[in-house]
Amino acid sequence: WMNSELARQAAERLAARLLARTGTEAGRVGLLYRTAYGRAATAGETTLAVEALAEFEALAPRDAKGKLAAWAWLCQAILAANEFVYTS
């Protein structure tokens, strides 16, 4: 399910919402975690996410679509994580 077209579209919409917000990459990562998990991202999670975004953006086209693709990838990973899928 998490690699389905529906999941990809949901991740892309979430990415677009995040990119519409002004601020830093770290701030957007924090908003992503609050939206998906209902909690703040740890410093380590933020650093890892920002580094992953930079690596993915380096491989993507250097335009708005490339930035959206990088964020959609991160959003899909967050939405596929056990923390999002399962509640304790």
Side-chain angles (χ1 to χ4, degrees):
W1 184 92
M2 291 316 298
N3 289 318
S4 69
E5 182 65 19
L6 176 65
R8 191 195 59 73
Q9 289 174 357
E12 193 168 290
R13 282 192 208 102
L14 179 53
R17 275 183 47 203
L18 294 168
L19 288 171
R21 304 287 294 236
T22 59
T24 64
E25 301 289 69
R28 288 187 189 110
V29 168
L31 180 57
L32 171 59
Y33 270 73
R34 285 190 302 279
T35 300
Y37 300 149
R39 65 168 180 83
T42 66
E45 289 167 332
T46 300
T47 299
L48 185 62
V50 169
E51 288 173 355
L53 282 167
E55 288 179 22
F56 194 78
E57 284 182 29
L59 299 173
R62 299 203 188 287
D63 58 14
K65 286 184 180 182
K67 190 163 191 74
L68 178 62
W71 274 94
W73 168 80
L74 178 62
C75 289
Q76 190 166 359
I78 293 295
L79 295 176
N82 282 342
E83 187 171 347
F84 181 78
V85 177
Y86 299 103
T87 59
S88 53

